[in-house]
Amino acid sequence: QVQLVESGGGSVQAGGSLRLSCAVSGDTSSSACMGWFRQAPGKEREGVAALYTGGDSTYYAISVKGRFTISQDNAKNTLYLQMNSLIPEDTAMYYCAADLPGPCGGSWFEIYNDMDYWGNGTLVTISS
């Protein structure tokens, strides 16, 4: 069992930055595909960024590539999402998720469907 708790959401103006954190507890001994997903009002949940804790692979949605960076701090059992150059279209509830033991699938469809654990989300609101 793994528990995921997101934090760091908030309201910022377009062009600003936020860093989301996901505290991971429970069985953290296994490797995992760890991901960030988001869901805007009236839209389906979509993948944003993912990484495999057992290697160097990272994955980004086209819409965030070059603006968002996913990273992990193994000592703190924390996953991060650094979000820069934010735009109103980034407004959504952001969720952290884990697929044990990974690795990450070859498409966002696979990555999403393979996730075993989800956090409750943190809200990000970007104003123009």
Side-chain angles (χ1 to χ4, degrees):
Q1 286 288 334
V2 171
Q3 295 77 43
L4 307 171
V5 179
E6 303 95 336
S7 61
S11 298
V12 299
Q13 288 191 327
S17 298
L18 282 173
R19 188 177 78 158
L20 305 183
S21 299
C22 174
V24 184
S25 61
D27 182 8
T28 60
S29 60
S30 171
S31 60
C33 177
M34 300 292 300
W36 288 99
F37 297 77
R38 67 186 182 186
Q39 187 166 17
K43 294 189 176 182
E44 293 187 350
R45 193 170 297 188
E46 63 176 359
V48 175
L51 62 75
Y52 176 51
T53 64
D56 296 327
S57 301
T58 56
Y59 309 83
Y60 293 95
I62 292 174
S63 59
V64 306
K65 201 165 187 178
R67 300 188 298 122
F68 292 10
T69 303
I70 188 171
S71 63
Q72 59 177 333
D73 185 329
N74 292 329
K76 296 182 179 180
N77 286 332
T78 302
L79 182 75
Y80 299 102
L81 184 68
Q82 178 66 44
M83 306 187 296
N84 299 328
S85 302
L86 286 160
I87 59 178
E89 290 75 15
D90 294 321
T91 295
M93 185 72 80
Y94 283 70
Y95 298 91
C96 174
D99 161 28
L100 275 62
C104 299
S107 69
W108 278 111
F109 177 82
E110 293 178 34
I111 292 173
Y112 176 85
N113 281 287
D114 287 345
M115 288 298 168
D116 303 308
Y117 303 97
W118 292 85
N120 290 326
T122 186
L123 183 62
V124 172
T125 304
I126 311 302
S127 58
S128 57

